[in-house]
Amino acid sequence: MIWSTKETLDREEIRLIQTKKLKQTVQYAYQNVPFYQEKFKEAGIVPEDIQTLDDLSKIPFTTKDDFRNHYPFGLFAVPKEKIVRYHASSGTTGNPTVVGYTKHDMKVWKECIARIVSMAGVTYHDTAQIAFGYGLFTGALGLHQGLEKVGAAVVPMSSGNSKKQIKIMKDWGVTALIATPSYALHLSEVAQSLGLDPVNDLKVKYGVLGSEPSTEAMRKKLNENWGMHAYENYGMSELGGPGVSGECPALHGMHINEDYFICEIIDPQTGEVLPEGEKGELVVTPLFRQATPVLRYRTKDITSLDSSPCECGRTTMRMSKITGRTDDMLIISGVNVFPSQIEEVLLSTEGIGSNYLITVSKKGYLDKMDIDVEVTDSSLLDTASSLDNLLKTVQERLHTVLGIHPTIHLVEPLSMEASKGKAVRVIDKRKE
């Protein structure tokens, strides 16, 4: 279902809209946020220098550190009297990044979410259960308001209490699950542990999943476990939360709400803008934010862009699945390793569950990687031959993909704590 005609505009029309809004956004940010006045002065530019989309590259980047260094309200463009909502990141590694919303910002946010859930197939006929944590995190309330805009009945379950989550899904006839991919997969395993077959005993048809990157192997497993269609969406608090992009049934990338966001791909080392189709770091400029306008935000997420026609009928640019981050790549004994590579192997291995933890440490001067992972059936741990065969399979497949030999620890099903928000997949003790 296409929610808005803005999703099917001619490419030239989209560029004209973006150009007009970009010039307005640059002027607005410059006039109302001292931080951007300083940034422009340092770069030797003024707002009038930005006349086309190609001029965007003249503008300095904004980073997460800029938000933290101006905590809490140093990047705000409006007085508190105009703020109707605050959200923030967790701030686990320093001050949280705080964003605000005016009534206008909230209206646009709802529109962007309505488009994304409609892409996934959710309509007023559906009951959507939100298993994100409610609070300063943007995911739950962001999706909540967009789902209500399309007329879906919302179950604001929040995260945790997994057995009750399953009971409500069953008793209330929930048809759409809103969660992180890892928690959605965990819930399917909890349902199975309760003697339920999610495919036949529950009615979940759609998964609207976000907040963390996942692999195609995870999507396949989600679809198999639930009998659902799992769709990803993308956003982050600094950009206003979820709503930047989302997947359609064609699954050829996430359609960007281009009348509200400009996306670029840069070389993360040089900052140079890369041609369409090349993989690099995503940089996003929102075109609507009144409370906290942001210019060229470096997301650190690795993806690529594609403006070719999509079979769904939308003409908006698509971003490919996030394959990693510029700051989560692990270097193990000189080898570059992304956690997504490990996840792909684990989730495509029969007998291996969805919950895992990668621990990197030093043994003397050498790097050491340990991976704790649940099995799907505890009987696999009962005999030495079964255990050895499964261990050997996992180790060989990981070595083929990574070129290194991590130590694998197989543990009982559901014995590892499931993440209720963004899954913590890596602990790097070398940084301690």
Side-chain angles (χ1 to χ4, degrees), residues 287-314:
L287 298 173
F288 67 94
R289 296 192 57 73
Q290 291 182 338
T292 45
V294 179
L295 303 177
R296 301 195 81 201
Y297 185 76
R298 292 190 64 158
T299 67
K300 296 189 177 182
D301 288 322
I302 303 298
T303 183
S304 61
L305 300 178
D306 181 2
S307 65
S308 64
C310 181
E311 61 193 69
C312 75
R314 292 176 179 82

Side-chain angles (χ1 to χ4, degrees), residues 140-308:
L141 285 165
L143 270 298
H144 186 132
Q145 60 201 15
L147 286 160
E148 287 185 339
K149 186 174 178 68
V150 303
V154 177
V155 181
M157 185 64 194
S158 195
S159 59
N161 203 345
S162 300
K163 291 182 179 179
K164 188 173 182 180
Q165 297 259 12
I166 300 302
K167 176 177 173 58
I168 287 179
M169 283 184 205
K170 185 174 185 296
D171 295 347
W172 297 14
V174 169
T175 55
L177 174 60
I178 319 299
T180 62
S182 57
Y183 191 58
L185 200 48
H186 173 73
L187 285 175
S188 71
E189 294 171 349
V190 170
Q192 291 166 351
S193 74
L194 296 173
L196 295 173
D197 175 4
V199 177
N200 296 310
D201 298 331
L202 302 176
K203 297 180 179 179
V204 178
K205 298 182 295 182
Y206 310 111
V208 183
L209 312 173
S211 186
E212 65 186 20
S214 65
T215 59
E216 284 303 319
M218 180 173 277
R219 189 205 303 275
K220 181 180 178 183
K221 196 152 191 172
L222 281 162
N223 291 344
E224 289 174 352
N225 284 15
W226 284 103
M228 65 157 61
H229 296 285
Y231 297 98
E232 286 194 8
N233 63 85
Y234 179 83
M236 55 178 54
S237 60
E238 296 84 358
L239 305 175
V244 175
S245 62
E247 287 182 313
C248 70
L251 299 179
H252 291 153
M254 291 178 275
H255 286 274
I256 299 162
N257 283 316
E258 286 193 277
D259 51 329
Y260 293 121
F261 299 93
I262 298 176
C263 292
E264 307 168 86
I265 299 296
I266 64 167
D267 181 318
Q269 301 302 320
T270 67
E272 177 189 359
V273 178
L274 299 177
E276 181 180 324
E278 289 198 27
K279 186 171 287 188
E281 180 183 348
L282 178 68
V283 173
V284 183
T285 300
L287 298 173
F288 67 94
R289 296 192 57 73
Q290 291 182 338
T292 45
V294 179
L295 303 177
R296 301 195 81 201
Y297 185 76
R298 292 190 64 158
T299 67
K300 296 189 177 182
D301 288 322
I302 303 298
T303 183
S304 61
L305 300 178
D306 181 2
S307 65
S308 64

Side-chain angles (χ1 to χ4, degrees), residues 64 68 71 88-98 136-137 237-238:
K64 185 180 286 286
R68 288 173 173 159
Y71 172 85
S89 69
S90 60
T92 53
T93 56
N95 283 331
T97 58
V98 181
L136 289 177
F137 170 61
S237 60
E238 296 84 358

Side-chain angles (χ1 to χ4, degrees), residues 345 393-405:
V345 170
T393 298
V394 175
Q395 288 168 339
E396 288 180 348
R397 296 188 69 184
L398 283 172
H399 180 254
T400 298
V401 172
L402 305 178
I404 60 175
H405 292 280

Side-chain angles (χ1 to χ4, degrees), residues 358-373:
I358 303 164
T359 304
V360 184
S361 58
K362 282 281 190 184
K363 187 174 182 179
Y365 293 104
L366 300 177
D367 291 330
K368 185 174 184 291
M369 175 183 283
D370 291 82
I371 303 174
D372 296 345
V373 60

